[in-house]
Amino acid sequence: MSEGGGDSTGTVAAGAVEVLGGAAWRRGAGIAGAAVGVVAAGAAVGVAVERLTVGRGMRRKARLALDSAGPYGTLRGTPGTALAEDGTELHYEVDEPEAPASGKGKGFFGRRPEPPLTVVFSHGYCLSQDSWHFQRAALRAAGVRAVFWDQRSHGRSARGKGQREAGEPVSIDLLGRDLKAVVDAAAPEGPLVLVGHSMGGMTTMALAAQYPELIAGRVVAAAFVGTSSGRMGEVTYGLPPMGMNVLRRTVLPGAFRLMLTQTDLVEKGRRAAAELIGGIIKRYSFGARDVDPAVARFAERLIEATPVDVVAEFYPAFAEHEKAAALAAFEGRPVLVLAGEKDMVTPSDHSRAIGEALPEAELVIVPGAGHLVMLEVPDLVSGHLARLVGSRSAGRNGWAPTAHRAAPE
């Protein structure tokens, strides 16, 4: 993902051909070249305009200033480690509410108090727990116990042992089992609210598919933010369908092979093209053009921190993700389904499909917002999550569903 630079579209496409090479590019090279040209040309226009008005040195200084001054991603909690089934160490952090001034640790007549509700946040592909920065701050202010974790090979979690040592593929089901390990370690008892963005929402669905008894017994509410229950192989990422299909067949397999086998080389190229890549990250992350530069740079840094071989390692899992049936586990509970209207990564139609599967859920389509909706309109997302957490009743199994809300047009 990148935004075009001062080089021409032809140079970008030619460079891609030179790097990827081989029979994959010779097959249907004309159509594939045209598809790459669409991406490169669209990106090049945006950066060319920027470079007419802002010098390269000034842009670099601005990026460094944003990196040093930006407060985002700095919140930390009590750290812990959960062990996945293959021994991968999964990093999580717990934000504990402040204890009451009196009666600490005691219930009525000296009995042990009921365990508190815990909100568990699962982040998306190529991100980390820090992508929930604004919602984390909001829940802290509200005194809610929350768990934030890094998916395997992301953030502060270790690289997946099964992938590194045994060459096992990543699957969304595996991520669901990882989430179960985190819940067991960080919130072994008490009611739960599960919140997932993008891949994190898919992880939540995989948890439900494999551990329906956990959902039935402990989950009091759930939120699916900018995510999908399936059909990810049909997503075109804003490109014409034919062009995307050609890219999938001819370009992406070779690119991912390079990422896995020539990781150092690709990482060097990634660093050299940082400005180019930053523009595409912004385009696919946000719907608005006037997003706060510090927030845009924060999103860029989150994605930059994901190694390219992890990008390649995880991508095939999305085509296999089909979890519409698992949504039934959340029936009868408050559910929030929220997405950006201009999301090109997990289009809002996928959220509408989740809403159709859970007709009592609150469906919110945010006008003008993109994929990283929780960073683009943080107050709106935090407000909806606060109401979701507050919608549970006092009884462990007595919560009432929220009223369905039509998506704003």
Side-chain angles (χ1 to χ4, degrees):
M1 295 181 175
S2 59
E3 184 170 304
D7 295 334
S8 68
T9 299
T11 302
V12 174
V17 173
E18 182 179 351
V19 172
L20 292 174
W25 268 98
R26 288 193 292 271
R27 289 194 303 268
I31 302 176
V36 173
V38 169
V39 178
V45 169
V47 173
V49 171
E50 178 193 358
R51 290 187 175 185
L52 287 173
T53 56
V54 183
R56 187 177 210 177
M58 187 178 296
R59 290 197 309 275
R60 184 176 291 121
K61 287 180 181 178
R63 286 160 62 89
L64 291 173
L66 291 172
D67 288 347
S68 63
Y72 309 126
T74 57
L75 299 178
R76 301 266 68 88
T78 303
T81 301
L83 284 183
E85 62 185 28
D86 61 358
T88 300
E89 294 185 348
L90 304 170
H91 176 81
Y92 67 82
E93 295 177 9
V94 182
D95 286 358
E96 298 280 5
E98 293 186 7
S102 61
K104 181 178 179 182
K106 293 184 179 180
F108 290 110
F109 306 109
R111 289 180 299 188
R112 183 172 176 268
E114 287 292 313
L117 176 140
T118 301
V119 185
V120 183
F121 285 82
S122 301
H123 68 79
Y125 178 48
C126 298
L127 298 170
S128 75
Q129 63 174 268
D130 291 340
S131 62
W132 296 109
H133 174 87
F134 294 104
Q135 291 69 44
R136 187 171 195 166
L139 286 187
R140 278 188 176 183
V144 176
R145 186 178 194 268
V147 172
F148 301 84
W149 69 294
D150 293 321
Q151 303 239 30
R152 64 172 55 222
S153 303
H154 290 69
R156 294 172 177 80
S157 286
R159 295 296 296 267
K161 277 195 173 183
Q163 291 70 56
R164 300 282 278 185
E165 298 176 4
E168 297 172 357
V170 173
S171 69
I172 303 298
D173 283 341
L174 173 62
L175 303 184
R177 296 193 291 275
D178 286 352
L179 175 54
K180 177 62 162 55
V182 171
V183 168
D184 288 346
E189 57 181 353
L192 302 170
V193 175
L194 302 178
V195 181
H197 168 249
S198 192
M199 183 176 75
M202 301 176 197
T203 299
T204 301
M205 296 174 205
L207 175 77
Q210 297 171 95
Y211 304 98
E213 70 284 355
L214 174 67
I215 309 302
R218 294 184 57 198
V219 174
V220 304
F224 298 101
V225 180
T227 190
S228 172
S229 60
R231 299 186 297 109
M232 286 297 293
E234 300 173 12
V235 177
T236 66
Y237 304 99
L239 295 174
M242 186 179 74
M244 190 64 224
N245 289 337
V246 170
L247 286 173
R248 281 196 176 99
R249 290 197 311 269
T250 63
V251 179
L252 293 182
F256 289 141
R257 278 196 300 273
L258 275 178
M259 292 166 132
L260 292 168
T261 61
Q262 302 292 330
T263 303
D264 291 343
L265 176 66
V266 178
E267 286 286 13
K268 287 179 181 177
R270 184 193 204 185
R271 289 191 294 271
E275 287 187 47
L276 186 78
I277 292 171
I280 290 292
I281 289 174
K282 182 177 179 182
R283 180 188 175 198
Y284 279 91
S285 297
F286 305 104
R289 293 185 178 182
D290 60 348
V291 65
D292 183 343
V295 172
R297 177 58 188 152
F298 172 51
E300 187 180 342
R301 285 193 292 114
L302 287 173
I303 295 171
E304 285 175 345
T306 307
V308 294
D309 51 333
V310 172
V311 176
E313 198 173 78
F314 274 64
Y315 183 81
F318 299 115
E320 300 173 2
H321 167 65
E322 295 293 340
K323 288 290 182 289
L327 294 172
F330 297 97
E331 291 178 353
R333 289 160 177 73
V335 174
L336 169 67
V337 183
L338 186 147
E341 175 194 29
K342 294 185 177 180
D343 191 335
M344 292 189 289
V345 179
T346 49
S348 57
D349 282 349
H350 288 239
S351 287
R352 289 188 174 93
I354 297 173
E356 290 174 3
L358 295 170
E360 293 181 325
E362 180 182 21
L363 175 64
V364 180
I365 306 300
V366 184
H371 187 58
L372 297 188
V373 62
M374 68 283 192
L375 294 178
E376 189 169 2
V377 284
D379 291 344
L380 184 149
V381 175
S382 297
H384 280 287
L385 288 177
R387 285 189 288 276
L388 179 74
V389 172
S391 69
R392 69 186 183 90
S393 68
R396 179 66 58 86
N397 293 303
W399 34 88
T402 56
H404 177 70
R405 176 178 298 185
E409 296 298 334

